[in-house]
Amino acid sequence: TLTRTVGVALPEADSRMRMMPGEVSSLKWGSWNTRGLFVRSPELLAKKMRRVHKLLSKFDVLLLQETHGNEVERGRLSDDLSHSHLLFYSTTSRTGLGGVAFCVSRTFLERSSVTPLLSTILPGRAASLSISYNDSSLYFTNVHQHNFTASDPS
């Protein structure tokens, strides 16, 4: 289920009141809890990947939660998306738990001044991504909080 979508943010008439960096004229973003993106069933995996691609066609930035998976699976996803998106990932030490990802459109990044910076807050559970522009930055926070407490090491 798509959990949150913010449509188009347009520049303000008065540039002093802008909420977006000057280089960004609009932003479309979405978030999806995949409930285990990398599953063992080839049919279910194909269905989930079709959903990811459909969402990516609609948004500049897509946040994914509960992706699970291992380094090989994440590498395949990154390679699959590399023509259109960059993938930023935070994982837990266990492949069947957590995992948050940011998929950012290369077109959206064309005017950014540096490579986006991923900061892990709690591995595989919470991370932030900053995208810098000449006059300011955009920050995205991605949190997957299910069945864990602050003392949970995963």
Side-chain angles (χ1 to χ4, degrees), residues 5-45:
T5 304
V6 172
V8 178
L10 299 174
E12 302 290 329
D14 181 347
S15 63
R16 293 172 294 165
M17 304 207 27
R18 293 178 62 92
M19 295 182 67
M20 305 277 282
E23 293 84 356
V24 178
S25 60
S26 68
L27 168 64
K28 296 179 191 173
W29 68 272
S31 177
W32 179 41
N33 182 330
T34 67
R35 291 183 174 80
L37 180 61
F38 301 111
V39 293
R40 297 205 189 283
S41 163
E43 295 83 15
L44 186 53
L45 176 61

